[in-house]
Amino acid sequence: MTENPLPQVEFVVRTIAQTAVANEKYFGDLDAVVGDGDFGYSLARGFEIVLSDWDTFDRTDAATFLRKVAVVITSRIGGTSGPLWGTAFLRAATAAAGKTTIDGQTVVAMLRAAMEGIQARGSASLGDKTLLDALAPATDEIARQVGLGSDGPTTVRAAATVARASADETAKLEARRGRASYTGERSIGSVDPGAVAVAVIFEALADAWPAAS
């Protein structure tokens, strides 16, 4: 008998959506330092729709569910965030296709696929001061914890710790993508809001994970 991975995936997506909505002002304030300040608003509005449409999504399997969420994100989140986050969900769905369980190796594959999608869609690389600068190190930490045989709560908490430290480190970088890149060296000294969003999401997942296990 195989385990249905959908509840696990639903938990993660719902936590991401709720965290985006709850941190609208915080993410917006961070973006306003050197950007246009709409990151928090755009993310919250899109994920509000994900939550309001929650019961309508096709739940045939985890990949189908993620694809439906990706469509909403791509079409309803404004600015550059919609295409980037939507592509991330779509690539993750592709990596999950045909899976009857979502084990640690599959999670890593989904996250790496999401990162590749973000890099391709946004022409971004590590060090460009984007969400990748938190997501990539967190994914590497998950892969390390999986290799160690760590349990879910330990793995997610370790990833959250790395994501937060990596997001803080973006303050040392000069932005090379997005509206912040127009400010050149003036972007140094402020953290990247996308990277911080990744850290906050991982922290929310870590806080909630034991209850979901």
Side-chain angles (χ1 to χ4, degrees):
M1 184 175 180
T2 56
E3 177 187 354
N4 178 12
L6 187 55
Q8 209 175 349
V9 173
E10 286 183 307
F11 160 73
V12 172
V13 175
R14 183 179 281 276
T15 301
I16 292 172
Q18 291 172 333
T19 303
V21 172
N23 287 275
E24 175 183 348
K25 185 178 185 305
Y26 177 44
F27 295 160
D29 288 347
L30 289 175
D31 190 39
V33 175
V34 292
D36 52 19
D38 70 345
F39 174 64
Y41 177 86
S42 297
L43 210 62
R45 296 294 79 75
F47 278 110
E48 273 182 350
I49 296 170
V50 169
L51 292 172
S52 65
D53 291 353
W54 190 257
D55 293 334
T56 71
F57 295 133
D58 187 337
R59 287 166 166 76
T60 301
D61 52 44
T64 300
F65 173 75
L66 287 171
R67 288 191 193 99
K68 295 301 182 182
V69 172
V71 169
V72 172
I73 291 171
T74 302
S75 61
R76 303 306 292 267
I77 293 180
T80 59
S81 295
L84 290 177
W85 287 70
T87 298
F89 273 84
L90 188 60
R91 293 293 187 91
T94 300
K99 300 292 184 180
T100 55
T101 60
I102 303 292
D103 58 12
Q105 295 291 347
T106 302
V107 170
V108 173
M110 292 168 70
L111 288 169
R112 294 210 189 285
M115 287 190 298
E116 289 169 5
I118 292 168
Q119 287 176 306
R121 192 65 185 257
S123 300
S125 301
L126 289 176
D128 282 349
K129 195 165 186 163
T130 70
L131 62 90
L132 289 172
D133 292 308
L135 184 56
T139 300
D140 289 342
E141 179 61 20
I142 291 173
R144 190 178 79 85
Q145 293 293 333
V146 169
L148 292 173
S150 301
D151 61 14
T154 300
T155 298
V156 179
R157 179 59 67 186
T161 299
V162 169
R164 173 57 67 178
S166 300
D168 290 345
E169 284 292 305
T170 63
K172 300 176 182 178
L173 301 174
E174 180 179 341
R176 294 189 175 91
R177 289 291 177 271
R179 185 64 62 87
S181 65
Y182 302 158
T183 65
E185 292 184 356
R186 288 195 293 113
S187 65
I188 299 173
S190 59
V191 294
D192 178 70
V196 173
V198 169
V200 172
I201 287 168
F202 269 110
E203 288 166 347
L205 286 168
D207 289 343
W209 203 276
S213 300

